[in-house]
Amino acid sequence: QALVMGPCTYLVTNAAVSGASVPALLRETLAGPGGASTLYTGAGAVAARQATNWASRQGLTELCQAAIPEGFGVAGAILGGCLGGIGSCWNTPLEVARIRAQAGDARGLVNVLRDVWATEGLAGCFRGVTPRALQAAWQTCFMVVAPQLLAAQA
């Protein structure tokens, strides 16, 4: 997944930073000195976040659903999905490192995180966690809980 997500997030992040269009950035990047390999800037952070993201959502959703009494039915399953999605945001520091790396800080995942911690502390490591948690809650309900509910109906 990081093979596809790396270039996509690189282009979107740089479009947001520069204000240029994604097609223009793609042309500029491919014609630049690094060529296509530039699209994989921050690939370590992308891979680390992707590897932990959905596994966390699935596992934490199952833990939360197991803790909710069965009498809550579908509402309990959805609540468990929301809580699992929000809990999966523990890896937000990896997302912060990905964004910084793709916006031009090419010092590597550990060095970027070390710098964020030193200059901004814990708040810097979890910058953007609120909108990410809201997104994770609905995505987890849609992509983890909905298939569970559909499978239970079959």
Side-chain angles (χ1 to χ4, degrees):
Q1 192 176 19
L3 184 67
V4 174
M5 290 301 295
C8 292
T9 59
Y10 173 84
L11 291 168
V12 169
T13 298
N14 280 284
V17 169
S18 70
S21 71
V22 170
L25 279 170
L26 180 59
R27 283 190 303 276
E28 180 182 312
T29 300
L30 293 176
S37 66
T38 305
L39 295 171
Y40 290 94
T41 301
V46 172
R49 185 187 60 88
Q50 288 298 110
T52 58
N53 206 33
W54 285 102
S56 294
R57 288 183 187 187
Q58 181 72 39
L60 292 172
T61 294
E62 290 176 9
L63 283 171
C64 291
Q65 287 174 334
I68 297 170
E70 284 188 31
F72 284 92
V74 172
I78 292 170
L79 176 61
C82 288
L83 294 173
I86 292 167
S88 74
C89 292
W90 67 267
N91 66 0
T92 296
L94 298 173
E95 180 71 354
V96 169
R98 176 201 64 83
I99 291 167
R100 302 249 174 137
Q102 291 183 332
D105 190 344
R107 295 175 298 138
L109 173 65
V110 174
N111 289 328
V112 170
L113 286 175
R114 190 176 295 139
D115 182 53
V116 170
W117 181 263
T119 58
E120 301 176 49
L122 187 62
C125 290
F126 283 90
R127 185 168 310 285
V129 72
T130 301
R132 188 164 184 251
L134 295 172
Q135 179 188 32
W138 78 260
Q139 280 183 333
T140 304
C141 286
F142 184 73
M143 298 178 82
V144 175
V145 177
Q148 288 174 344
L149 295 173
L150 291 171
Q153 296 296 317

